[in-house]
Amino acid sequence: MDLSILQVVLWLIAGLVSFYFSIGNARVWTSISVGFFLILFGELLPRAMPFLPGAGDPRVEAMGYIIGTISILVMSHGFQEYYVFSRTLELEGNKLYVYLVTVGVVAASLVFILINPVPSEDTLRVIRIVGNTNWVFLSLINIDLIRKIYLNVKDSPISKGFLAFIAVFVCIFLWKGSELYIQVYSLDLPAVMDAFPVRYQISQVTNMIGNLFASLSVAGTFLYMAKLLR
């Protein structure tokens, strides 16, 4: 199986598991689950699979990258909510509000893409760099935030599940961080690639391994949390 197809299949499984988790559990988990679910579209659309509507359209690719950025913002908001909840046991809002706001943000992003010129390769590269920068820094912030959540709930049955989420973000950091490194230093351009072949290969391998382990760990973590919450 082609590696890109394998990655999409694994993220499909991870996305469906996380979305199902959001439906069957308390409101406090909704933003976290929906955020991870959106990664599926962030991975699927830019791949330009031949069987997908709009395959090869730069606007579809750009939308995929933007949804990927939205996903880390949504899940980070969810972990912030859970941190507050773990300290105060107070929670506001409802699930429907989270779903509607997320759909609204995605729809607004689609309108933005459609009313502007078709993205060039340079524009797509900038969008990817902005998105990966968000992923890298928010992954580090989330690791620290989840550590604090773990300390607040370490006596509860679900505490070990948050340690698993730390592992998830370590994998995501390696995945997105290596991709950002390639983009910032243009290691994927032929001339630079030929000048620094080892760095490019190491970054590529790190990117692929990080992606695969991130999808596996996301699905595994939500299944583990579902078991702990029973």
Side-chain angles (χ1 to χ4, degrees):
M1 181 184 292
D2 183 82
L3 183 59
S4 62
I5 297 178
L6 175 61
Q7 289 172 334
V8 169
V9 170
L10 290 176
W11 278 114
L12 175 62
I13 295 171
L16 293 177
V17 169
S18 59
F19 186 74
Y20 181 76
F21 185 90
S22 76
I23 297 175
N25 283 286
R27 153 72 180 86
V28 73
W29 286 103
T30 308
S31 296
I32 296 173
S33 303
V34 170
F36 280 107
F37 171 68
L38 288 177
I39 298 179
L40 168 62
F41 296 97
E43 285 296 286
L44 188 62
L45 296 180
R47 301 285 181 181
M49 298 293 182
F51 55 84
L52 290 176
D57 189 333
R59 289 169 295 192
V60 174
E61 185 176 351
M63 194 62 204
Y65 296 139
I66 291 173
I67 291 177
T69 303
I70 293 172
S71 69
I72 182 61
L73 296 174
V74 172
M75 72 178 72
S76 297
H77 173 71
F79 281 113
Q80 290 171 4
E81 280 193 311
Y82 202 102
Y83 175 65
V84 173
F85 173 74
S86 69
R87 292 177 61 87
T88 65
L89 298 181
E90 295 181 1
L91 188 66
E92 298 179 355
N94 56 62
K95 287 186 175 184
L96 181 60
Y97 177 76
V98 175
Y99 295 135
L100 291 177
V101 169
T102 303
V103 170
V105 172
V106 172
S109 300
L110 177 59
V111 171
F112 178 81
I113 291 294
L114 293 176
I115 65 175
N116 280 289
V118 176
S120 64
E121 285 298 323
D122 289 338
T123 302
L124 291 174
R125 189 179 187 87
V126 170
I127 294 173
R128 291 177 64 192
I129 290 176
V130 171
N132 285 330
T133 301
N134 276 282
W135 273 102
V136 168
F137 286 101
L138 287 176
S139 291
L140 294 175
I141 290 173
N142 285 336
I143 287 172
D144 182 60
L145 188 60
I146 296 169
R147 178 188 64 83
K148 293 177 180 177
I149 294 174
Y150 169 75
L151 293 176
N152 289 337
V153 301
K154 62 182 179 181
D155 295 326
S156 73
I158 64 171
S159 59
K160 292 183 179 179
F162 287 99
L163 295 180
F165 273 119
I166 290 178
V168 168
F169 278 104
V170 169
C171 294
I172 289 176
F173 175 79
L174 293 175
W175 165 30
K176 295 295 187 177
S178 58
E179 187 171 314
L180 181 62
Y181 176 72
I182 291 173
Q183 293 164 342
V184 169
Y185 286 95
S186 301
L187 293 179
D188 52 343
L189 299 181
V192 184
M193 191 188 306
D194 292 339
F196 303 98
V198 176
R199 295 186 188 188
Y200 176 71
Q201 289 299 325
I202 292 176
S203 299
Q204 278 288 81
V205 170
T206 303
N207 179 263
M208 289 185 292
I209 292 176
N211 187 309
L212 291 174
F213 277 97
S215 59
L216 291 171
S217 61
V218 167
T221 297
F222 277 111
L223 290 173
Y224 182 50
M225 290 298 297
K227 178 180 179 181
L228 294 176
L229 287 167
R230 287 177 183 173

